[in-house]
Amino acid sequence: MKLFNLLLNIIWLVFCGIWMAIGYLIAALICFVLIITIPFGIASLRIAGFVIWPFGRTTVDRRDAGAGSFIGNVIWVIFAGWWLALAHLVTSIPLFLSIIGIPFGWANLKLIPISLMPLGREVVSTDRGFGER
């Protein structure tokens, strides 16, 4: 199963992973420049790492996330989240046009909630394969 995840990640990287990760890196750089938004930049970098190599990993809610994460996510959605969610949506459309790209289109759509609310989430490894979730 790990070989299958590796194959999926390599195909993902070529067709959309690198471009989406660049979007998250640009958002992180903007957040770092504005200084007060450094926590958003850190979250953006964490999600960029997930977006570039998503198969075999997932995100879970952090137990210590509270009202601060919720408020931060509201701010994030207004300034950067909706752009990234839109990029995931637009990237998924051409992937759905080919049979090979359909699983990658679905994976792109599954990343939209994470792109909208990255604070209070943690990326963890999973031992289950792509189709077993």
Side-chain angles (χ1 to χ4, degrees), residues 7 16-17 35 42 46 48 51 53 55 70-71 107-108 110 118 127 131:
L7 178 64
C16 61
I35 297 173
I42 293 169
R46 182 176 56 248
V51 165
W53 206 257
F55 296 99
F70 175 76
I71 294 167
N108 235 330
K110 286 182 179 182
D127 57 348

Side-chain angles (χ1 to χ4, degrees), residues 72-86:
N73 279 328
V74 170
I75 294 168
W76 173 262
V77 166
I78 293 168
F79 291 106
W82 74 275
W83 285 101
L84 294 167
L86 183 64

Side-chain angles (χ1 to χ4, degrees), residues 22-126:
I22 288 170
Y24 282 93
L25 291 174
I26 290 169
L29 288 174
I30 292 169
C31 290
F32 288 139
V33 167
L34 297 175
I35 297 173
I36 197 167
T37 55
I38 287 176
F40 299 109
I42 293 169
S44 186
L45 285 178
R46 182 176 56 248
I47 302 303
F50 178 58
V51 165
I52 205 163
W53 206 257
F55 296 99
R57 300 189 302 168
T58 189
T59 60
V60 294
D61 291 326
R62 290 180 48 191
R63 298 212 183 269
D64 60 346
S69 292
F70 175 76
I71 294 167
N73 279 328
V74 170
I75 294 168
W76 173 262
V77 166
I78 293 168
F79 291 106
W82 74 275
W83 285 101
L84 294 167
L86 183 64
H88 280 294
L89 181 65
V90 169
T91 305
S92 70
I93 292 169
L95 291 170
F96 280 119
L97 297 177
S98 70
I99 292 174
I100 294 171
I102 292 173
F104 302 106
W106 280 118
N108 235 330
L109 293 180
K110 286 182 179 182
L111 288 168
I112 290 176
I114 298 161
S115 70
L116 289 172
M117 293 188 248
L119 300 173
R121 307 279 302 171
E122 183 178 10
V123 178
V124 296
S125 180
T126 180

